[in-house]
Coordinates of all heavy atoms in Angstrom, one line a residue:
M1 N 0.9 -1.2 0.0 CA 0.0 0.0 0.0 C 0.9 1.2 0.0 O 1.9 1.3 0.7 CB -0.9 0.0 1.2 CG -2.1 0.8 1.1 SD -3.3 0.7 2.5 CE -3.4 -1.0 2.9
S2 N 0.5 2.2 -0.8 CA 1.3 3.4 -0.9 C 1.3 4.2 0.4 O 0.3 4.2 1.1 CB 0.9 4.3 -2.1 OG -0.3 5.0 -1.7
P3 N 2.3 5.0 0.7 CA 2.3 5.8 1.9 C 1.2 6.8 1.9 O 0.6 7.1 3.0 CB 3.7 6.6 1.8 CG 4.5 5.7 1.0 CD 3.6 5.0 0.0
K4 N 0.8 7.3 0.8 CA -0.4 8.3 0.7 C -1.7 7.6 1.2 O -2.4 8.2 1.9 CB -0.5 8.8 -0.7 CG -1.6 9.9 -0.8 CD -1.6 10.4 -2.2 CE -2.7 11.5 -2.3 NZ -2.8 12.1 -3.7
I5 N -1.9 6.4 0.7 CA -3.1 5.7 1.1 C -3.1 5.3 2.6 O -4.1 5.5 3.3 CB -3.3 4.4 0.3 CG1 -3.6 4.8 -1.2 CG2 -4.4 3.5 0.8 CD1 -3.6 3.6 -2.2
V6 N -1.9 4.9 3.1 CA -1.8 4.6 4.5 C -2.1 5.9 5.4 O -2.8 5.8 6.4 CB -0.4 4.1 4.9 CG1 -0.2 4.0 6.4 CG2 -0.2 2.7 4.2
K7 N -1.5 7.0 4.9 CA -1.8 8.3 5.6 C -3.2 8.7 5.6 O -3.8 9.1 6.6 CB -0.9 9.4 5.0 CG -1.0 10.7 5.7 CD 0.0 11.7 5.1 CE -0.1 13.0 5.9 NZ 0.7 14.0 5.3
Q8 N -3.9 8.5 4.5 CA -5.3 8.8 4.4 C -6.2 7.9 5.3 O -7.1 8.4 6.0 CB -5.8 8.7 2.9 CG -7.3 9.2 2.8 CD -7.8 9.1 1.4 OE1 -7.3 8.3 0.6 NE2 -8.8 9.9 1.1
K9 N -5.9 6.6 5.3 CA -6.6 5.7 6.1 C -6.4 6.1 7.6 O -7.3 6.0 8.4 CB -6.2 4.2 5.9 CG -6.8 3.7 4.6 CD -6.5 2.2 4.5 CE -7.2 1.7 3.3 NZ -7.2 0.2 3.3
S10 N -5.2 6.4 8.0 CA -4.9 6.8 9.3 C -5.7 8.1 9.7 O -6.2 8.2 10.8 CB -3.4 7.0 9.5 OG -3.1 7.5 10.8
A11 N -5.7 9.0 8.8 CA -6.5 10.3 9.0 C -8.0 10.0 9.2 O -8.6 10.6 10.1 CB -6.3 11.3 7.9
I12 N -8.5 9.1 8.4 CA -9.9 8.7 8.5 C -10.2 8.0 9.9 O -11.2 8.3 10.5 CB -10.4 7.9 7.3 CG1 -10.4 8.7 6.1 CG2 -11.8 7.3 7.6 CD1 -10.6 8.0 4.8
E13 N -9.3 7.1 10.3 CA -9.5 6.4 11.6 C -9.4 7.4 12.7 O -10.2 7.3 13.7 CB -8.4 5.3 11.7 CG -8.6 4.1 10.8 CD -10.0 3.5 10.9 OE1 -10.5 3.3 12.0 OE2 -10.6 3.3 9.8
N14 N -8.6 8.4 12.6 CA -8.5 9.5 13.6 C -9.8 10.3 13.7 O -10.3 10.6 14.7 CB -7.3 10.4 13.4 CG -7.1 11.4 14.4 OD1 -7.1 11.1 15.6 ND2 -7.0 12.7 14.0
L15 N -10.3 10.6 12.5 CA -11.5 11.4 12.4 C -12.7 10.6 13.0 O -13.5 11.1 13.7 CB -11.8 11.7 11.0 CG -13.0 12.7 10.7 CD1 -12.8 14.0 11.4 CD2 -13.0 13.0 9.2
K16 N -12.7 9.2 12.8 CA -13.7 8.4 13.4 C -13.6 8.4 14.9 O -14.7 8.6 15.6 CB -13.6 6.9 12.9 CG -14.0 6.7 11.5 CD -13.9 5.3 11.1 CE -14.3 5.0 9.7 NZ -14.1 3.6 9.3
R17 N -12.4 8.3 15.5 CA -12.2 8.4 16.9 C -12.7 9.7 17.5 O -13.4 9.8 18.5 CB -10.8 8.1 17.3 CG -10.3 6.7 17.2 CD -9.0 6.5 17.8 NE -7.9 7.2 17.2 CZ -7.3 6.9 16.1 NH1 -7.6 5.7 15.5 NH2 -6.3 7.6 15.6
R18 N -12.3 10.8 16.8 CA -12.8 12.1 17.2 C -14.3 12.3 17.2 O -14.9 12.9 18.1 CB -12.1 13.2 16.4 CG -10.6 13.2 16.7 CD -9.8 14.2 15.8 NE -10.3 15.6 16.0 CZ -10.3 16.5 15.1 NH1 -9.7 16.3 13.9 NH2 -10.7 17.7 15.3
L19 N -14.9 11.7 16.2 CA -16.3 11.8 16.1 C -17.0 11.1 17.2 O -17.9 11.6 17.9 CB -16.8 11.2 14.7 CG -18.2 11.3 14.3 CD1 -18.6 12.8 14.1 CD2 -18.5 10.5 13.0
V20 N -16.5 9.9 17.6 CA -17.1 9.1 18.7 C -16.8 9.9 20.0 O -17.8 9.9 20.8 CB -16.4 7.7 18.7 CG1 -16.8 7.0 20.0 CG2 -16.9 6.8 17.6
E21 N -15.7 10.4 20.2 CA -15.4 11.2 21.4 C -16.4 12.4 21.5 O -16.9 12.7 22.5 CB -14.0 11.7 21.4 CG -13.0 10.7 21.6 CD -11.5 11.1 21.3 OE1 -11.3 12.3 20.9 OE2 -10.6 10.3 21.5
G22 N -16.6 13.1 20.3 CA -17.6 14.2 20.3 C -19.0 13.7 20.7 O -19.7 14.4 21.4
I23 N -19.4 12.6 20.2 CA -20.7 12.0 20.5 C -20.8 11.8 22.0 O -21.8 12.2 22.6 CB -21.0 10.7 19.7 CG1 -21.1 11.0 18.2 CG2 -22.2 10.0 20.2 CD1 -21.0 9.8 17.3
Q24 N -19.8 11.2 22.6 CA -19.8 10.9 24.0 C -19.9 12.2 24.8 O -20.6 12.3 25.8 CB -18.6 10.1 24.4 CG -18.7 8.7 23.8 CD -17.4 7.9 23.9 OE1 -16.3 8.5 24.2 NE2 -17.4 6.6 23.7
V25 N -19.1 13.2 24.4 CA -19.1 14.5 25.2 C -20.5 15.2 25.1 O -21.0 15.5 26.1 CB -18.0 15.4 24.7 CG1 -18.2 16.8 25.2 CG2 -16.6 14.9 25.0
I26 N -21.0 15.3 23.9 CA -22.3 16.1 23.8 C -23.5 15.3 24.4 O -24.4 15.9 24.8 CB -22.6 16.7 22.4 CG1 -22.8 15.6 21.4 CG2 -21.4 17.6 22.0 CD1 -23.2 16.1 20.0
T27 N -23.4 14.0 24.4 CA -24.4 13.1 25.0 C -24.3 13.3 26.5 O -25.3 13.5 27.2 CB -24.3 11.7 24.6 OG1 -24.4 11.5 23.2 CG2 -25.3 10.8 25.3
G28 N -23.1 13.2 27.0 CA -22.9 13.4 28.5 C -23.3 14.8 29.0 O -23.7 14.9 30.1
E29 N -23.2 15.8 28.1 CA -23.6 17.2 28.5 C -25.1 17.4 28.3 O -25.6 18.5 28.6 CB -22.8 18.2 27.7 CG -21.4 18.2 28.0 CD -21.1 18.7 29.4 OE1 -21.8 19.7 29.8 OE2 -20.2 18.2 30.0
G30 N -25.8 16.4 27.8 CA -27.3 16.5 27.5 C -27.6 17.3 26.3 O -28.8 17.6 26.1
V31 N -26.7 17.5 25.4 CA -27.0 18.3 24.2 C -27.6 17.3 23.1 O -28.5 17.7 22.4 CB -25.7 18.9 23.6 CG1 -25.9 19.6 22.3 CG2 -25.1 19.9 24.6
L32 N -27.1 16.1 23.1 CA -27.6 15.1 22.1 C -28.4 14.1 22.9 O -27.9 13.6 23.9 CB -26.3 14.5 21.5 CG -26.6 13.6 20.3 CD1 -27.1 14.4 19.1 CD2 -25.2 12.9 19.9
S33 N -29.5 13.7 22.3 CA -30.3 12.7 23.0 C -29.7 11.3 22.7 O -28.8 11.2 21.8 CB -31.7 12.7 22.4 OG -31.8 12.3 21.1
G34 N -30.2 10.3 23.3 CA -29.7 8.9 23.1 C -29.7 8.4 21.7 O -28.9 7.6 21.3
S35 N -30.5 9.0 20.8 CA -30.6 8.5 19.5 C -30.1 9.5 18.4 O -30.2 9.3 17.2 CB -32.1 8.2 19.1 OG -32.9 9.3 19.2
G36 N -29.4 10.6 18.9 CA -28.9 11.6 18.0 C -27.6 11.1 17.3 O -27.1 10.0 17.5
H37 N -27.1 12.0 16.4 CA -25.9 11.6 15.7 C -25.1 12.8 15.3 O -25.6 13.9 15.3 CB -26.3 10.8 14.4 CG -27.3 11.5 13.5 ND1 -28.6 11.4 13.7 CD2 -27.1 12.4 12.5 CE1 -29.3 12.1 12.8 NE2 -28.4 12.7 12.1
L38 N -23.9 12.6 15.0 CA -23.0 13.6 14.5 C -22.4 13.1 13.2 O -22.4 11.9 12.9 CB -21.8 13.9 15.4 CG -22.1 14.6 16.7 CD1 -20.8 14.7 17.5 CD2 -22.7 16.0 16.5
R39 N -21.8 14.1 12.4 CA -21.2 13.7 11.2 C -20.0 14.6 11.0 O -19.9 15.6 11.5 CB -22.1 13.8 10.0 CG -23.0 15.0 9.9 CD -22.4 16.1 9.1 NE -23.2 17.3 9.1 CZ -22.7 18.5 9.5 NH1 -21.5 18.6 10.0 NH2 -23.5 19.5 9.4
A40 N -19.1 14.1 10.1 CA -17.8 14.8 9.8 C -17.4 14.5 8.4 O -17.4 13.4 8.0 CB -16.7 14.4 10.7
R41 N -17.2 15.6 7.6 CA -16.7 15.4 6.2 C -15.3 14.8 6.2 O -14.5 15.2 7.0 CB -16.7 16.8 5.6 CG -16.3 16.8 4.2 CD -16.3 18.3 3.6 NE -16.9 18.3 2.3 CZ -17.5 19.3 1.8 NH1 -17.7 20.4 2.5 NH2 -18.0 19.2 0.6
I42 N -15.1 13.9 5.2 CA -13.8 13.4 5.0 C -13.1 14.4 4.0 O -13.6 14.6 2.9 CB -13.8 12.0 4.4 CG1 -14.5 11.0 5.4 CG2 -12.4 11.6 4.1 CD1 -14.6 9.6 4.8
P43 N -12.1 15.1 4.5 CA -11.5 16.2 3.7 C -11.0 15.7 2.3 O -10.5 14.6 2.2 CB -10.3 16.6 4.5 CG -10.6 16.3 5.9 CD -11.4 15.0 5.8
G44 N -11.3 16.5 1.3 CA -10.9 16.2 0.0 C -11.7 15.2 -0.8 O -11.3 14.7 -1.8
T45 N -12.8 14.8 -0.2 CA -13.7 13.8 -0.8 C -15.1 14.3 -0.8 O -15.5 15.3 -0.2 CB -13.7 12.5 0.0 OG1 -14.4 12.6 1.2 CG2 -12.2 12.0 0.2
E46 N -16.0 13.5 -1.5 CA -17.4 13.8 -1.4 C -18.1 12.7 -0.6 O -19.1 12.1 -1.0 CB -18.0 13.9 -2.9 CG -17.5 15.1 -3.6 CD -18.2 15.4 -4.9 OE1 -19.1 14.5 -5.3 OE2 -18.0 16.4 -5.5
T47 N -17.5 12.5 0.6 CA -18.0 11.6 1.6 C -18.0 12.2 3.0 O -17.2 13.1 3.2 CB -17.3 10.3 1.5 OG1 -15.9 10.5 1.8 CG2 -17.3 9.5 0.2
F48 N -18.8 11.6 3.9 CA -18.7 12.0 5.2 C -18.9 10.8 6.1 O -19.4 9.8 5.7 CB -19.7 13.1 5.6 CG -21.2 12.8 5.3 CD1 -22.0 12.4 6.4 CD2 -21.8 12.9 4.1 CE1 -23.3 12.1 6.2 CE2 -23.1 12.6 3.9 CZ -23.9 12.2 5.0
L49 N -18.6 11.0 7.4 CA -18.7 9.9 8.4 C -19.9 10.3 9.3 O -20.1 11.5 9.6 CB -17.5 9.8 9.3 CG -16.1 9.6 8.5 CD1 -15.0 9.7 9.5 CD2 -16.2 8.2 7.9
I50 N -20.7 9.3 9.7 CA -21.8 9.5 10.6 C -22.0 8.3 11.4 O -21.7 7.1 11.0 CB -23.1 9.9 9.7 CG1 -24.2 10.4 10.6 CG2 -23.6 8.7 8.9 CD1 -25.3 11.2 9.9
N51 N -22.5 8.5 12.7 CA -22.7 7.3 13.5 C -24.0 6.6 13.0 O -24.9 7.3 12.6 CB -22.8 7.6 15.0 CG -23.8 8.7 15.4 OD1 -23.7 9.8 14.8 ND2 -24.7 8.3 16.3
P52 N -24.1 5.3 13.2 CA -25.3 4.6 12.7 C -26.5 4.9 13.6 O -26.4 5.6 14.6 CB -24.9 3.1 12.9 CG -23.5 3.1 13.2 CD -23.1 4.4 13.6
R53 N -27.6 4.4 13.1 CA -28.9 4.7 13.8 C -29.1 3.9 15.0 O -30.0 3.0 15.0 CB -30.0 4.5 12.7 CG -31.3 5.1 13.1 CD -32.4 4.9 12.1 NE -32.6 3.5 11.9 CZ -32.8 2.9 10.7 NH1 -32.7 3.6 9.6 NH2 -33.0 1.6 10.6
F54 N -28.3 4.1 16.0 CA -28.5 3.5 17.3 C -27.9 4.5 18.3 O -27.3 5.4 18.0 CB -28.0 2.1 17.5 CG -26.6 1.9 17.2 CD1 -25.6 2.3 18.1 CD2 -26.2 1.3 16.0 CE1 -24.2 2.0 17.8 CE2 -24.8 1.0 15.8 CZ -23.9 1.4 16.7
A55 N -28.1 4.2 19.6 CA -27.7 5.2 20.6 C -26.2 5.6 20.4 O -25.3 4.7 20.4 CB -27.8 4.6 22.0
G56 N -26.0 6.8 20.1 CA -24.7 7.4 19.8 C -23.6 7.1 20.9 O -22.5 6.8 20.6
V57 N -24.1 7.1 22.1 CA -23.1 6.9 23.2 C -22.5 5.5 23.2 O -21.5 5.2 23.7 CB -23.8 7.2 24.6 CG1 -24.8 6.1 25.0 CG2 -22.8 7.4 25.7
L58 N -23.2 4.6 22.5 CA -22.7 3.2 22.3 C -21.7 3.0 21.2 O -21.1 2.0 21.0 CB -23.9 2.2 22.2 CG -24.9 2.2 23.3 CD1 -26.0 1.2 22.9 CD2 -24.2 1.7 24.6
A59 N -21.6 4.1 20.4 CA -20.8 4.0 19.1 C -19.3 3.7 19.4 O -18.8 4.2 20.4 CB -20.9 5.3 18.3
N60 N -18.7 3.0 18.5 CA -17.3 2.7 18.5 C -16.8 3.2 17.2 O -17.5 3.1 16.2 CB -17.2 1.2 18.7 CG -15.8 0.7 18.8 OD1 -15.0 0.9 17.9 ND2 -15.4 0.2 20.0
P61 N -15.5 3.6 17.1 CA -15.0 4.0 15.7 C -15.3 3.0 14.6 O -15.5 3.4 13.5 CB -13.5 4.2 16.0 CG -13.4 4.6 17.4 CD -14.5 3.8 18.1
K62 N -15.3 1.7 14.9 CA -15.5 0.7 13.9 C -17.0 0.7 13.4 O -17.3 0.1 12.4 CB -15.1 -0.7 14.3 CG -15.9 -1.3 15.4 CD -15.4 -2.7 15.8 CE -15.9 -3.3 17.0 NZ -17.0 -3.6 17.5
D63 N -17.9 1.3 14.2 CA -19.3 1.4 13.8 C -19.6 2.5 12.9 O -20.7 2.5 12.3 CB -20.2 1.5 15.1 CG -20.0 0.4 16.1 OD1 -19.9 -0.7 15.6 OD2 -20.0 0.7 17.3
I64 N -18.7 3.5 12.8 CA -19.0 4.7 12.0 C -19.2 4.3 10.5 O -18.4 3.6 10.0 CB -17.9 5.7 12.2 CG1 -17.8 6.1 13.7 CG2 -18.1 7.0 11.4 CD1 -19.0 6.8 14.3
C65 N -20.2 4.9 9.9 CA -20.5 4.7 8.5 C -19.9 5.8 7.6 O -19.9 6.9 8.1 CB -22.0 4.6 8.3 SG -22.8 3.2 9.2
T66 N -19.6 5.4 6.4 CA -19.1 6.4 5.4 C -20.3 6.5 4.4 O -20.8 5.5 3.9 CB -17.9 5.9 4.7 OG1 -16.9 5.7 5.7 CG2 -17.4 7.0 3.7
V67 N -20.7 7.8 4.2 CA -21.8 8.1 3.3 C -21.4 9.0 2.2 O -20.6 10.0 2.5 CB -23.0 8.7 4.1 CG1 -24.2 9.0 3.3 CG2 -23.4 7.7 5.3
T68 N -21.9 8.8 1.0 CA -21.5 9.7 -0.1 C -22.4 11.0 -0.1 O -23.5 11.0 0.6 CB -21.8 9.0 -1.5 OG1 -23.2 8.8 -1.7 CG2 -21.0 7.7 -1.6
F69 N -22.1 12.0 -0.8 CA -22.9 13.2 -0.9 C -24.2 12.9 -1.6 O -25.1 13.7 -1.6 CB -22.1 14.3 -1.6 CG -21.1 15.0 -0.8 CD1 -20.7 14.5 0.4 CD2 -20.5 16.1 -1.3 CE1 -19.7 15.1 1.2 CE2 -19.5 16.7 -0.5 CZ -19.1 16.2 0.7
D70 N -24.4 11.7 -2.2 CA -25.7 11.3 -2.8 C -26.5 10.6 -1.7 O -27.6 10.1 -2.0 CB -25.4 10.4 -4.0 CG -24.8 11.1 -5.1 OD1 -25.1 12.3 -5.3 OD2 -24.0 10.5 -5.9
G71 N -26.0 10.5 -0.5 CA -26.8 9.9 0.6 C -26.7 8.4 0.7 O -27.5 7.8 1.4
K72 N -25.7 7.8 0.0 CA -25.6 6.3 0.0 C -24.5 5.8 0.9 O -23.4 6.4 0.9 CB -25.3 5.8 -1.4 CG -26.2 6.3 -2.5 CD -27.6 5.6 -2.4 CE -28.4 6.0 -3.5 NZ -29.8 6.2 -3.2
R73 N -24.8 4.9 1.8 CA -23.8 4.3 2.6 C -22.8 3.4 1.8 O -23.3 2.6 1.0 CB -24.4 3.4 3.7 CG -23.4 2.8 4.7 CD -24.0 1.9 5.7 NE -24.6 0.9 4.9 CZ -25.2 -0.2 5.5 NH1 -25.2 -0.2 6.8 NH2 -25.7 -1.1 4.8
I74 N -21.5 3.7 2.0 CA -20.5 2.9 1.2 C -19.6 2.1 2.1 O -18.9 1.2 1.7 CB -19.7 3.8 0.2 CG1 -19.0 4.9 1.0 CG2 -20.6 4.3 -0.9 CD1 -18.0 5.7 0.1
A75 N -19.7 2.3 3.4 CA -18.9 1.6 4.4 C -19.6 1.7 5.8 O -20.3 2.7 6.0 CB -17.5 2.1 4.5
G76 N -19.4 0.7 6.6 CA -19.9 0.7 7.9 C -21.0 -0.3 8.0 O -21.7 -0.7 7.0
K77 N -21.2 -0.8 9.2 CA -22.2 -1.9 9.4 C -23.6 -1.5 9.7 O -24.6 -2.1 9.2 CB -21.7 -2.8 10.6 CG -20.4 -3.5 10.4 CD -20.0 -4.3 11.6 CE -18.7 -4.9 11.4 NZ -18.2 -5.6 12.6
G78 N -23.8 -0.5 10.5 CA -25.1 -0.2 11.0 C -25.9 0.6 9.9 O -25.4 1.1 9.0
P79 N -27.2 0.7 10.2 CA -28.1 1.5 9.3 C -27.8 3.0 9.5 O -27.6 3.4 10.7 CB -29.5 1.1 9.8 CG -29.4 0.7 11.2 CD -28.0 0.1 11.3
I80 N -27.7 3.7 8.4 CA -27.5 5.2 8.6 C -28.8 5.9 9.0 O -29.9 5.4 8.7 CB -26.9 5.8 7.3 CG1 -27.8 5.6 6.1 CG2 -25.5 5.2 7.0 CD1 -27.4 6.3 4.8
P81 N -28.6 7.0 9.7 CA -29.8 7.8 10.1 C -30.6 8.2 8.9 O -30.1 8.5 7.8 CB -29.2 9.0 10.8 CG -27.9 8.6 11.2 CD -27.4 7.6 10.2
S82 N -31.9 8.3 9.1 CA -32.8 8.7 8.0 C -32.5 10.1 7.5 O -32.9 10.5 6.4 CB -34.3 8.5 8.4 OG -34.6 9.3 9.5
E83 N -31.9 10.9 8.4 CA -31.6 12.3 8.0 C -30.3 12.4 7.2 O -29.9 13.5 6.8 CB -31.4 13.1 9.3 CG -32.6 13.2 10.2 CD -32.6 12.1 11.2 OE1 -31.8 11.2 11.2 OE2 -33.5 12.1 12.0
S84 N -29.6 11.3 6.9 CA -28.4 11.3 6.2 C -28.5 12.1 4.8 O -27.6 12.8 4.5 CB -27.8 9.9 6.0 OG -27.5 9.3 7.2
P85 N -29.5 11.9 4.1 CA -29.7 12.7 2.8 C -29.7 14.2 3.1 O -29.2 15.0 2.2 CB -31.0 12.2 2.2 CG -31.1 10.8 2.7 CD -30.6 10.9 4.2
I86 N -30.2 14.6 4.2 CA -30.2 16.1 4.5 C -28.8 16.5 4.7 O -28.3 17.6 4.2 CB -31.1 16.4 5.8 CG1 -32.5 16.0 5.5 CG2 -30.9 17.8 6.2 CD1 -33.4 16.0 6.7
H87 N -28.0 15.8 5.5 CA -26.6 16.1 5.7 C -25.8 16.1 4.4 O -25.0 17.0 4.1 CB -25.9 15.1 6.7 CG -26.4 15.2 8.1 ND1 -26.1 16.2 9.0 CD2 -27.2 14.4 8.8 CE1 -26.7 16.0 10.1 NE2 -27.4 14.9 10.0
A88 N -26.1 15.1 3.6 CA -25.5 15.0 2.3 C -25.8 16.3 1.4 O -24.9 16.8 0.7 CB -25.9 13.8 1.5
A89 N -27.0 16.7 1.4 CA -27.4 17.9 0.6 C -26.7 19.1 1.1 O -26.3 20.0 0.3 CB -29.0 18.0 0.7
V90 N -26.6 19.3 2.4 CA -25.8 20.4 2.9 C -24.4 20.4 2.4 O -23.9 21.4 1.9 CB -25.9 20.5 4.5 CG1 -24.9 21.5 5.0 CG2 -27.3 20.7 5.0
Y91 N -23.8 19.2 2.5 CA -22.4 19.1 2.0 C -22.3 19.4 0.5 O -21.3 20.1 0.1 CB -21.8 17.7 2.3 CG -21.3 17.6 3.8 CD1 -21.6 16.4 4.5 CD2 -20.5 18.5 4.4 CE1 -21.2 16.2 5.8 CE2 -20.1 18.4 5.7 CZ -20.4 17.2 6.4 OH -20.0 17.0 7.6
K92 N -23.2 18.9 -0.2 CA -23.2 19.1 -1.7 C -23.3 20.6 -2.0 O -22.7 21.1 -2.9 CB -24.3 18.4 -2.4 CG -24.0 16.9 -2.6 CD -25.2 16.2 -3.2 CE -25.1 16.2 -4.7 NZ -26.2 15.3 -5.3
S93 N -24.1 21.3 -1.3 CA -24.4 22.7 -1.6 C -23.4 23.7 -0.9 O -23.3 24.9 -1.3 CB -25.8 23.1 -1.3 OG -26.0 23.1 0.1
R94 N -22.7 23.3 0.1 CA -21.9 24.2 0.9 C -20.5 23.6 1.1 O -20.2 22.8 2.0 CB -22.5 24.4 2.3 CG -23.9 25.0 2.4 CD -23.8 26.5 2.3 NE -22.9 27.2 3.1 CZ -23.1 27.7 4.3 NH1 -24.3 27.6 4.8 NH2 -22.2 28.2 5.0
S95 N -19.6 24.0 0.3 CA -18.2 23.5 0.3 C -17.5 24.0 1.6 O -16.4 23.4 2.0 CB -17.4 23.9 -0.9 OG -17.3 25.3 -1.0
D96 N -18.0 25.0 2.3 CA -17.4 25.5 3.5 C -17.8 24.8 4.7 O -17.2 25.0 5.8 CB -17.7 27.0 3.6 CG -19.2 27.3 3.8 OD1 -20.0 26.6 3.1 OD2 -19.5 28.1 4.6
V97 N -18.7 23.8 4.7 CA -19.2 23.1 5.8 C -18.4 21.9 6.1 O -18.1 21.1 5.1 CB -20.7 22.7 5.7 CG1 -21.2 21.9 6.8 CG2 -21.6 24.0 5.5
N98 N -17.9 21.7 7.3 CA -17.1 20.5 7.6 C -17.9 19.5 8.4 O -18.7 19.4 9.0 CB -15.9 20.9 8.4 CG -14.9 21.7 7.6 OD1 -14.7 21.3 6.5 ND2 -14.3 22.7 8.2

C-alpha cells in the first residue's frame, strides 16, 4: 500500500475516533439525545462519516459509517440515520461546511 493511502486511512481512523469522542461528550452534556448523531466530512472527498442509527453513546469507531454526498452508505455496518440525505445535501451545496 502506498504511503499516501496509509496516511489517508490513518487520518480517517483518527476522524472516526474524534467523532465518537464528540458524540460521548455532547451526549454526556445533555446536548444530544440517546438516538442523535454527528457527522464529519472526509477532507478532499465527497463523503462524510456519521454514526449509525442507534444510541450514539454506544458508538465505537468501527461502527461509524461512510456516506456519499448522494446519501448512499458505502462503508460501515449499521443502518445510517434517515436524516443522512439532509446532511449530504448540505455538504453538496456548501463546500465551506465541515
Side-chain angles (χ1 to χ4, degrees):
M1 200 175 321
S2 79
K4 183 177 181 179
I5 292 173
V6 171
K7 186 176 179 180
Q8 183 180 28
K9 284 187 176 197
S10 177
I12 292 170
E13 290 306 313
N14 183 50
L15 190 55
K16 287 180 181 182
R17 282 191 300 276
R18 291 177 59 207
L19 187 63
V20 168
E21 290 168 359
I23 292 165
Q24 292 169 346
V25 168
I26 65 173
T27 299
E29 293 293 323
V31 174
L32 189 68
S33 70
S35 61
H37 54 273
L38 286 182
R39 45 89 182 126
R41 179 184 224 148
I42 298 175
T45 72
E46 291 193 354
T47 58
F48 62 97
L49 303 173
I50 194 164
N51 59 301
R53 195 179 62 224
F54 57 76
V57 73
L58 300 176
N60 183 296
K62 67 179 170 62
D63 299 323
I64 300 299
C65 297
T66 305
V67 180
T68 68
F69 285 7
D70 292 326
K72 307 290 185 215
R73 181 184 61 176
I74 58 172
K77 295 180 184 177
I80 60 174
S82 59
E83 300 89 354
S84 295
I86 297 168
H87 292 285
V90 170
Y91 281 135
K92 277 176 97 168
S93 66
R94 298 278 312 266
S95 63
D96 61 321
V97 175
N98 291 319

